[in-house]
Amino acid sequence: MRLSSYLFSKSFFLLFLCSLPSVLLAEDSASSTSYRAEPTPVPPQSGIPQRVSIYEPYRGGNCHGYRAKDISETEQGVTGTLELIGSPCYAYGTDYSALYLNVTYETEDRIHVSIRDVNNTQFQFSNRHDVWDAPLYHYSSSVDKSNILYNFSFNADPFEFWITRKSDGEVLFDTRGHPLIFENQYIELTTNMVDNYNIYGLAETIHGLRLGNNLTRTFWANDEASPLDQNMYGTHPFYLEQRYKPVDSDSNSDQPTYTSSSHGVLMLTANGMDVLLRPKYLQYRMIGGIIDLYVYAGSKKPQNTITQFVGSIGFPQMQQYWSMGFHMCRWGYENISEIMQIRENMRKFNIPIETFWSDIDYMHNLRDFTVDPISYSREQMIEFFNDIESTHQHYVPIVDAAVYAANPSNRSDDTYGPYYEGVEKDIFLKNPDGSLYIGEVWPGFTVFPDFTNPKVQDYWKAGIHNMSYAFGSNSSDYIPFSGLWLDMNEPSSFCVGSCGSELVNLNPVHAPFKLPGEPGYLALNYPAGFNLTNATEYASASSASLSQYYATATSSMQVVYPTAVPLGVQPKFDINHPPYAINTEQGNHDLANHGVSPNATHHDGTLRYNLFNIYGYGEIKVTHKALSDLQPGVRPFILSRSTFLGSGVYSAHWLGDNHSNWPNMFFSISGMMVFNMLGVPMVGADVCGFQDDTDEELCARWMAMGAFSPYYRNHNQLGSIHQEPYLWASVAEASRRAMHIRYSLLPYWYTLFRQASYDGSTLIRPLFFEFPDEPLLAGADRQFMVGDSLLVTPVLEPNTTTVNGVFPGSEDVVWYDWYNHTSIEHKPYENKTMDAPLEHINVAIRGNKIIPMQVPGYTTHETRQNPFNLLVALDKQGNAYGNLYADDGVSITPNATLWVDFAAKSNKLSSVSFGTYEVDVPLANVTILGVSSSPKQVHFNDDNISSYTYSESTQELVLSNLDKFTSTGAFASNWTISW
Ligand SMILES: *[C@@H]1O[C@H](CO)[C@@H](O)[C@H](O)[C@H]1NC(C)=O
Ligand SMILES: *[C@@H]1O[C@H](CO)[C@@H](O)[C@H](O)[C@H]1NC(C)=O
Ligand SMILES: *[C@@H]1O[C@H](CO)[C@@H](O)[C@H](O)[C@H]1NC(C)=O
């Protein structure tokens, strides 16, 4: 792209140009050990403590709901008005006296129930397509009523409705017995649930896969490191429900057999909300907006429900091929030399590394779009980028949502373009009085781009571009980094409200807490299990830290609750402290605590209250567009902490600031499964753990399991011990072995990503997705499947060399061990114990599947230059199927693609190619598992294959040297192998 066609304003560019010399000047005026401005400390604040409503007496008991009037039903749905029964009940707000009901049969499998106040006073998220647009809104209005899979039924007085699936009469959503409450700051809608229901989703939270019926899920985007069962970064108010029914059978089998069905429910809102999961019901309690409820009729297979749902919010984008490689990061790489050293060390230990990441260390004074002129000098960055380009490795830096608010009394801040240009363009969030909203993040007091403002696009793009210049790019169309990492985008803010408004003259200020590594930081950085084996030492150290903490805690931390409003009395309308206090995790539950407060205002006057949970999504979308503009045609790679429905269309996600312990490793399996159900397949945890110190055993196990995550990154925190995989022999070995498998499987992974991008297929898949009729698998979350072919059984606890796992399916399902290729004996529901030495992770291949592989290289690029192999795992009938997708690995719209279908049956394996993308490397080996007798001869088309071996004991047939038949490319023409 030429500079002249570049969209950002000239003044912005000039500001940045002006800022560069001063950035460079800092080099002369600062010593190399203290190049950062010395921050001013400011005290922490805690807001106004709120009584969490779910723990207080319920105030909705006097509400009688609504009565339906003027109901009419058409081909497209049901409409009518609802009038309040009796006087306002003032549960947690003021009741609307009249509502409008609009039920739409949108597609054959999706129904939309919308309920709003007749005067359209409440905020309507579904009208804000400028903020969130999705296929959901773009259905054809001509669905044939006779084809729809569901029925909508209702009672008029009081108004109650229920939705059933026509095919089997299952009631999917049912408000009977629960009056609707519709108030200005409180909406309550309840559905009856079946006993012991199995529901999944309602992310983002750290919880086992199956949510159970004793949980409150709170939706309030929140920067918090691994709080169990509580709200954190992302908001996805969707659940999948799986139901089982025993099948009456007259067979003599003592094993009962089941049939199953699944469906999905979405409550579309960006407002704050609690969802109460209780034994008999599930209840939505929203603090604003209207009701936009979607029910997906689903089908027998959970995956089909997911396809219906993800199709409605947007199928995920295809990722670049390199992003499947191993990523290494640490908050605390003090300079680029350290990263260059990591690169050498990884090579020396022969552990693949694809991508180097920078946390905030690279920034100058922790400010967005700047680069530290000394520790990440332009000269060294150019050298680094040249190095990694020559080896086809990659670099991804972090960008935070918040922008440093320049100190007007400090002349050296004058050159900080991202602040002044944003002020000039007027694109930051405001206070209700129109002044800038000034919170606090890493660089000090900060302002927050309003990503719903159309003018923010050029601003943000210019920032990214100018950063690429600071990194050493000399040309306007070259970004040396391969993607961007968006952090702190809930957005996080370390204080309450616009705390910097009066104090910005103190900037830069220090975060109101100690950073890891600073004197006084409250750290219990012990390896997992240390407290068990070193109890005395642990107790004295931790009590010392705690007493130090309590000594510094201020009296402002004391909890003084506001007085409760008596029942039946109209509660006061309050944006920052709504009458219904959701169970948000932060401190004392003040909604403004540790985040940008609900009364911050967008460019058009919309309160953040109503768009609270979608801030990070807005940043993702704007960044995606900026990267596509800067590198036209290339799939942007974005990793985001905060996510919303449909984020997968643009972005990957990591599970956030976890801890280096076994429970966090275990919960990350469910985290990955759930994000896969939500259309965000590129997901993974910070391997070895982010906070606290990891240890050798945990890190070895996690590096191995991480190799089976779609997104595979080791990342840890400032002040924690280093955890690069070569630091311990066992971790290095576990990593090499597991990465050898991962890189071999890249063609399989890439095919899975392609499938996800056209039908929402999950990559990391719960066992019940593949075996939906086994109720005992409904909560299985210590094992997972990669696609439909591989079953992974990781070790999730210390001090063991064995692991238990099930091999799902009847005895007819064949499972082969990945390593020795033998068929694994198993019985239904049997928990088998397997050997699991420290460097080993158990992986099984499912019979009936064909897996495309490549000889692994050091990078994904090298792997792509190597020959293909096929692994054919026959089932008991001697059949197996699989496929392969290939393209250039980077283009948004590749000009050529290739699909290959593999099928094995009756002692024949065929490969049939579709498409024009040319894979020019040959096929080397084909390994066929489950071949019951030694073949007399083996053919490739009509040619004899002489180089093959057969093992009687493993029933394995290995064909090698096939490259002589496929020298023009493994799949250049169709072929058949027979034996
Ligand atoms: C809607 O607005 C009209 C006109 O202001 C008013 O008379 C009516 O009471 C309102 N209805 C409701 C249900 O608030
Ligand atoms: C009812 O909903 C449908 C679909 O969302 C919409 O097209 C229609 O305009 C709505 N009707 C009213 C009166 O709001
Ligand atoms: C429900 O969860 C709460 C909070 O975790 C717990 O105290 C209570 O015992 C649980 N109730 C049941 C029936 O499990």
Side-chain angles (χ1 to χ4, degrees):
M1 178 178 300
R2 304 231 159 267
L3 197 58
S4 55
S5 70
Y6 197 61
L7 291 170
F8 63 80
S9 80
K10 208 167 177 186
S11 66
F12 190 11
F13 190 60
L14 286 176
L15 265 168
F16 268 89
L17 284 183
C18 291
S19 80
L20 287 166
S22 84
V23 168
L24 296 175
L25 270 178
E27 189 168 359
D28 306 324
S29 56
S31 83
S32 60
T33 51
S34 147
Y35 53 88
R36 286 187 173 145
E38 202 51 57
T40 316
V42 290
Q45 309 159 298
S46 55
I48 301 172
Q50 300 297 300
R51 291 179 188 276
V52 171
S53 296
I54 54 165
Y55 299 126
E56 295 290 309
Y58 177 60
R59 291 178 56 94
N62 293 328
C63 301
H64 304 293
Y66 288 78
R67 181 182 296 123
K69 287 200 321 190
D70 323 322
I71 297 287
S72 64
E73 182 165 13
T74 66
E75 279 291 299
Q76 276 78 47
V78 176
T79 57
T81 51
L82 309 175
E83 64 180 23
L84 184 68
I85 300 174
S87 45
C89 59
Y90 299 130
Y92 303 92
T94 302
D95 305 77
Y96 282 97
S97 58
L99 307 175
Y100 183 74
L101 168 74
N102 188 1
V103 179
T104 315
Y105 311 140
E106 292 191 345
T107 65
E108 287 170 13
D109 46 43
R110 184 176 83 232
I111 179 172
H112 174 197
V113 179
S114 157
I115 302 176
R116 55 175 165 84
D117 58 292
V118 289
N119 283 350
N120 298 318
T121 309
Q122 286 290 101
F123 178 76
Q124 296 181 18
F125 180 74
S126 44
N127 273 350
R128 293 301 301 270
H129 298 198
D130 61 320
V131 175
W132 190 81
D133 197 0
L136 195 71
Y137 296 138
H138 308 283
Y139 57 91
S140 113
S141 56
S142 57
V143 59
D144 185 342
K145 201 182 159 199
S146 58
N147 290 337
I148 62 177
L149 301 174
Y150 45 79
N151 272 328
F152 178 84
S153 317
F154 67 96
N155 291 330
D157 189 5
F159 172 70
E160 320 175 300
F161 68 90
W162 60 102
I163 294 163
T164 46
R165 184 166 40 222
K166 281 183 183 171
S167 61
D168 55 6
E170 286 288 316
V171 183
L172 309 181
F173 200 92
D174 179 6
T175 74
R176 280 174 289 188
H178 307 280
L180 167 68
I181 303 178
F182 203 110
E183 303 178 334
N184 57 353
Q185 287 198 286
Y186 185 72
I187 296 174
E188 185 183 295
L189 185 73
T190 311
T191 177
N192 296 311
M193 298 295 274
V194 301
D195 287 341
N196 294 313
Y197 49 86
N198 304 297
I199 71 170
Y200 311 89
L202 298 176
E204 181 175 16
T205 189
I206 296 183
H207 193 281
L209 178 64
R210 182 177 174 272
L211 292 175
N213 60 14
N214 181 26
L215 179 71
T216 299
R217 276 291 299 114
T218 299
F219 292 81
W220 193 254
N222 174 29
D223 167 18
E224 182 60 89
S226 32
L228 288 190
D229 293 353
Q230 290 184 295
N231 55 312
M232 48 202 296
Y233 321 107
T235 300
H236 301 259
F238 166 82
Y239 68 82
L240 171 79
E241 181 172 355
Q242 173 79 357
R243 290 185 189 163
Y244 301 92
K245 267 206 264 190
V247 177
D248 294 327
S249 76
D250 37 29
S251 80
N252 301 325
S253 155
D254 20 311
Q255 288 285 4
T257 54
Y258 291 85
T259 178
S260 62
S261 68
S262 82
H263 66 275
V265 177
L266 165 68
M267 181 64 85
L268 179 60
T269 179
N271 272 108
M273 157 168 86
D274 280 341
V275 178
L276 278 59
L277 283 65
R278 298 293 182 265
K280 297 284 174 202
Y281 64 88
L282 181 147
Q283 185 167 72
Y284 296 95
R285 297 179 170 192
M286 300 182 264
I287 59 172
I290 60 168
I291 291 174
D292 272 307
L293 177 79
Y294 293 84
V295 175
Y296 303 81
S299 88
K300 172 149 186 65
K301 291 201 100 184
Q303 181 59 58
N304 294 346
T305 305
I306 292 303
T307 295
Q308 292 168 12
F309 163 63
V310 179
S312 79
I313 57 165
F315 291 126
Q317 81 160 19
M318 199 51 196
Q319 293 291 343
Q320 291 193 56
Y321 206 94
W322 61 265
S323 65
M324 298 187 296
F326 173 66
H327 306 262
M328 185 73 222
C329 186
R330 171 180 169 81
W331 176 19
Y333 284 146
E334 285 180 12
N335 48 53
I336 188 67
S337 316
E338 205 178 332
I339 295 180
M340 289 160 107
Q341 187 62 50
I342 303 287
R343 178 166 173 269
E344 281 179 31
N345 294 348
M346 291 292 282
R347 179 69 82 162
K348 206 158 64 195
F349 286 89
N350 194 26
I351 303 171
I353 178 165
E354 186 84 3
T355 308
F356 305 88
W357 289 63
S358 277
D359 208 310
I360 53 177
D361 312 287
Y362 79 87
M363 296 180 184
H364 187 221
N365 288 327
L366 309 175
R367 297 175 195 178
D368 266 0
F369 305 132
T370 67
V371 180
D372 191 278
I374 296 173
S375 48
Y376 287 78
S377 76
R378 195 172 144 87
E379 292 70 28
Q380 272 189 302
M381 289 307 275
I382 290 172
E383 184 189 338
F384 172 68
F385 286 124
N386 285 339
D387 286 354
I388 62 173
E389 195 173 340
S390 71
T391 47
H392 302 277
Q393 288 168 307
H394 297 267
Y395 177 70
V396 177
I398 200 169
V399 171
D400 282 342
V403 171
Y404 174 76
N407 179 341
S409 59
N410 183 345
R411 292 283 66 84
S412 70
D413 278 2
D414 288 357
T415 52
Y416 185 53
Y419 173 73
Y420 284 107
E421 183 65 15
V423 169
E424 191 192 305
K425 284 190 174 245
D426 199 17
I427 49 85
F428 296 125
L429 291 178
K430 302 283 183 52
N431 286 306
D433 67 2
S435 63
L436 276 182
Y437 183 100
I438 305 181
E440 187 184 358
V441 193
W442 300 120
F445 292 123
T446 55
V447 287
F448 299 84
D450 173 2
F451 288 106
T452 71
N453 186 330
K455 288 187 292 183
V456 86
Q457 185 68 54
D458 292 348
Y459 164 83
W460 197 248
K461 175 171 146 186
I464 293 170
H465 176 268
N466 283 291
M467 180 173 79
S468 87
Y469 181 85
F471 272 136
S473 162
N474 283 315
S475 108
S476 63
D477 61 359
Y478 173 63
I479 327 182
F481 46 87
S482 299
L484 287 177
W485 171 18
L486 306 180
D487 197 15
M488 309 299 282
N489 56 351
E490 295 69 33
S492 179
S493 175
F494 301 153
C495 61
V496 180
S498 188
C499 61
S501 290
E502 306 297 326
L503 301 173
V504 71
N505 283 316
L506 299 176
N507 234 1
V509 294
H510 188 284
F513 45 80
K514 300 284 185 197
L515 296 184
E518 286 180 343
Y521 174 69
L522 173 73
L524 295 175
N525 277 359
Y526 301 106
F530 179 89
N531 54 337
L532 303 177
T533 46
N534 299 273
T536 316
E537 194 181 333
Y538 178 84
S540 77
S542 59
S543 79
S545 313
L546 281 175
S547 57
Q548 189 185 353
Y549 174 76
Y550 288 123
T552 55
T554 66
S555 55
S556 71
M557 301 290 189
Q558 273 172 16
V559 175
V560 182
Y561 292 111
T563 323
V565 177
L567 269 182
V569 171
Q570 182 176 19
K572 197 165 123 280
F573 180 85
D574 192 328
I575 283 298
N576 275 0
H577 306 100
Y580 181 87
I582 57 175
N583 187 28
T584 179
E585 177 274 346
Q586 279 296 341
N588 48 31
H589 315 290
D590 184 316
L591 294 183
N593 212 334
H594 210 90
V596 172
S597 75
N599 72 354
T601 308
H602 290 274
H603 68 104
D604 59 353
T606 306
L607 291 171
R608 177 164 156 67
Y609 184 79
N610 288 316
L611 292 174
F612 194 89
N613 290 324
I614 200 171
Y615 186 90
Y617 176 92
E619 188 195 22
I620 290 171
K621 227 172 68 169
V622 166
T623 306
H624 192 271
K625 170 105 172 51
L627 289 177
S628 339
D629 284 354
L630 291 166
Q631 293 181 308
V634 176
R635 303 166 194 163
F637 178 78
I638 297 171
L639 180 79
S640 178
R641 192 168 75 181
S642 186
T643 57
F644 187 75
L645 296 161
S647 289
V649 175
Y650 307 107
S651 173
H653 175 61
W654 92 106
L655 297 170
D657 297 347
N658 62 3
H659 289 74
S660 296
N661 60 37
W662 295 91
N664 271 255
M665 179 180 172
F666 158 66
F667 283 122
S668 76
I669 297 176
S670 297
M672 290 192 287
M673 288 176 178
V674 168
F675 271 94
N676 269 269
M677 296 181 202
L678 299 168
V680 189
M682 189 48 134
V683 62
D686 276 349
V687 167
C688 298
F690 175 70
Q691 306 210 14
D692 305 339
D693 290 342
T694 195
D695 68 4
E696 176 174 1
E697 190 181 7
L698 176 67
C699 198
R701 295 298 191 189
W702 211 334
M703 280 299 293
M705 184 175 97
F708 297 88
S709 315
Y711 174 65
Y712 182 23
R713 183 181 72 168
N714 174 325
H715 177 218
N716 76 337
Q717 195 184 35
L718 185 66
S720 297
I721 59 165
H722 276 261
Q723 58 188 37
E724 289 80 14
Y726 50 76
L727 291 173
W728 303 265
S730 69
V731 180
E733 181 58 19
S735 304
R736 276 188 295 262
R737 288 192 201 175
M739 285 195 206
H740 187 273
I741 302 174
R742 181 183 182 85
Y743 282 64
S744 307
L745 286 171
L746 288 176
Y748 177 69
W749 278 108
Y750 196 63
T751 304
L752 291 176
F753 273 111
R754 180 68 187 104
Q755 282 165 347
S757 75
Y758 75 78
D759 69 2
S761 285
T762 47
L763 276 69
I764 299 300
R765 206 170 280 187
L767 275 51
F768 82 82
F769 267 47
E770 288 297 316
F771 301 92
D773 292 336
E774 296 183 34
L776 286 179
L777 297 180
D781 55 12
R782 298 177 66 89
Q783 293 173 279
F784 59 92
M785 296 200 62
V786 177
D788 63 2
S789 310
L790 296 174
L791 174 67
V792 181
T793 309
V795 170
L796 300 167
E797 58 196 21
N799 298 319
T800 182
T801 51
T802 61
V803 65
N804 293 336
V806 295
F807 292 88
S810 70
E811 278 156 275
D812 285 344
V813 177
V814 188
W815 291 98
Y816 298 94
D817 181 80
W818 174 271
Y819 303 90
N820 64 25
H821 289 172
T822 54
S823 144
I824 299 166
E825 284 191 20
H826 66 99
K827 294 192 182 62
Y829 309 121
E830 179 193 12
N831 212 359
K832 278 190 82 100
T833 301
M834 291 163 264
D835 283 340
L838 187 53
E839 292 92 351
H840 180 86
I841 181 163
N842 280 279
V843 180
I845 312 150
R846 184 176 174 188
N848 188 250
K849 304 297 172 193
I850 298 176
I851 301 177
M853 296 167 56
Q854 247 165 316
V855 175
Y858 188 71
T859 58
T860 64
H861 176 85
E862 277 184 22
T863 307
R864 275 166 79 86
Q865 318 301 313
N866 289 341
F868 274 87
N869 293 325
L870 287 182
L871 182 57
V872 179
L874 297 176
D875 64 15
K876 288 205 168 146
Q877 287 71 44
N879 300 334
Y881 304 90
N883 54 23
L884 166 75
Y885 172 77
D887 63 17
D888 65 14
V890 291
S891 299
I892 292 175
T893 315
N895 54 21
T897 62
L898 177 73
W899 273 106
V900 187
D901 282 348
F902 306 111
K905 52 186 169 220
S906 315
N907 297 351
K908 269 202 185 90
L909 166 68
S910 63
S911 165
V912 180
S913 305
F914 305 89
T916 53
Y917 180 73
E918 285 175 24
V919 167
D920 49 18
V921 298
L923 178 70
N925 301 338
V926 172
T927 302
I928 306 169
L929 310 181
V931 176
S932 52
S933 59
S934 182
K936 302 279 171 291
Q937 41 185 324
V938 184
H939 286 100
F940 186 95
N941 292 334
D942 295 330
D943 296 324
N944 237 322
I945 301 179
S946 48
S947 48
Y948 70 86
T949 57
Y950 177 75
S951 155
E952 193 76 47
S953 61
T954 60
Q955 305 213 322
E956 175 182 13
L957 175 62
V958 180
L959 320 176
S960 45
N961 293 340
L962 298 174
D963 36 337
K964 67 178 177 213
F965 303 111
T966 56
S967 56
T968 58
F971 313 108
S973 40
N974 300 340
W975 47 254
T976 303
I977 287 173
S978 49
W979 63 92

